[in-house]
Structures are given as structure tokens and as C-alpha cells.
Amino acid sequence: MKRCAICHIHSGTVLCGGCQSLIPAIGSPCQKCAKPLHQSDSLCGECRSDPPAFSKTIAATIYQQPASHWVQQLKFGGRLDRASIMAEALLQPLQAMDNNIPIIPVPLHPKRLRLRGYNQAHEIAKIIAKQQNRPLLSDALVRTKNTAMQAELHEKQRANNVRAAFALNQTIESDTVIVMDDVMTTGQTLRSVAKCLNQAGIGEVIVAVFARSGA
């Protein structure tokens, strides 16, 4: 029998019932970017004034402890096992989508990939693709600019940092794709990815992230 990835008790799933409660769903998300809203509006102010190229965002939880700690462990600490927690949390919301829709992980620039040794978005995506028998297009996109870390920039700098930072690397047969990342903060990276895919003729881009910042 498996052990829970968090508390390590025997469990038939990646997370036991108790630890699943550590990943609360976002109560009132924006229907476009999944930003938590404090009212019943369907869209946040930014998505109303500047709609993103993606059609909607599926986010498993809010970017707060312990989820934020797991993201940092995966991204910077080499804890690849944390990808299984994040994938598990996204399996159910993605289950309703046709399993012919491919997943595209947000790519790292080759220099950063060499330094880190892995792409955290790909680690999550490959688990989901295997579990749902879903196509995984690992090399569909390339990051053409070695951008600064988004977390190190002010919000106004982030859009310029990732503008035209991605390019299509192969033909995509599907008219709809799922773009996978570990976390969405301001959403500028995923806006840039979705715009690139739209310009390449992809009709619908759906974003899936483990955690969504409430900022």
C-alpha cells in the first residue's frame, strides 16, 4: 500500500484524507485567471480591462502555506516528489476534460534548465499525462529569452520580462491545449505563452496550475 506523500501514513492514494484538507480549493475564483475574489464577480478587474489570451485557469489551491512551501521545495530544492502532490490535486478538475487534449508544460530557458536539472512544470505534467492517458507535448514550446526570475521583479516589470519570450517548436494538431505550470502569481508568463499559442493558430488555451497567488 502507498504511503501519503505528506504525513507518510499508509494510504491508497498519493494523499490521505487528512492531508487533502491542506489543499483547500479557491472559493470564488476569477473565471479567467482563477485569482481569488472577495465578491461574487465572475472576473477580476485585470481580466475585465485586459483579457488574457487563455480562456480559463484551473488552479488546485491558493498559494499559501503549506502549498507555497511545496512549490519552493520542488522548484529550488530538488524535491521532485512534491510534483506528485501537485499532480494529484489537479487530476480531478482536469478529469472532466477530453483526454485527447494535450498538455504543454511551460518551458525553461535551456541555460536555466541546465542549472536546475529539470523543469518543475514538466514534472507535474508528465504525471498527469500518464494518469489520464493524455498527450504530453514536452517540446512544443521553447523559451527564446533567458528572462530574469519573475519573482525578483516588480509587477510592472514582469510583463516586459516575458514579452515575446516563447516560440512554437512543433506543429500542434489539437485546437485546444492545456498549459501546465506550478504556480501563477501575476499571470504574465502564462499570458505570454497563451498569446504565442493563439498566434500559432491554437483556438483555446486552458491554463492549469497547482497554486494561484491571491495578490
Side-chain angles (χ1 to χ4, degrees), residues 101-113:
I101 298 175
I103 297 181
I104 300 175
V106 174
L108 296 178
H109 189 271
K111 288 185 178 180
R112 186 163 296 158
L113 181 60

Side-chain angles (χ1 to χ4, degrees), residues 9-84:
I9 67 168
H10 288 293
S11 172
T13 56
V14 172
L15 299 180
C16 69
C19 287
Q20 287 176 359
S21 66
L22 297 174
I23 310 177
I26 299 173
S28 300
C30 169
Q31 291 183 4
K32 279 276 190 181
C33 74
K35 182 178 182 178
L37 302 176
H38 300 293
Q39 62 280 341
S40 59
D41 290 347
S42 59
L43 295 175
C44 69
E46 184 175 7
C47 287
R48 286 182 187 278
S49 62
D50 183 20
F54 50 79
S55 62
K56 66 178 179 179
T57 299
I58 296 168
T61 193
I62 189 74
Y63 188 69
Q64 63 185 16
Q65 293 288 1
S68 57
H69 183 54
W70 299 334
V71 168
Q72 295 298 310
Q73 285 182 318
L74 172 60
K75 186 175 291 187
F76 303 116
R79 290 291 303 274
L80 299 185
D81 59 301
R82 294 313 194 196
S84 65

Side-chain angles (χ1 to χ4, degrees), residues 185-206:
T185 49
T186 63
Q188 294 301 330
T189 297
L190 288 154
R191 279 173 171 260
S192 182
V193 168
K195 185 176 181 180
C196 170
L197 290 167
N198 280 177
Q199 290 173 340
I202 304 301
E204 182 177 18
V205 177
I206 298 166

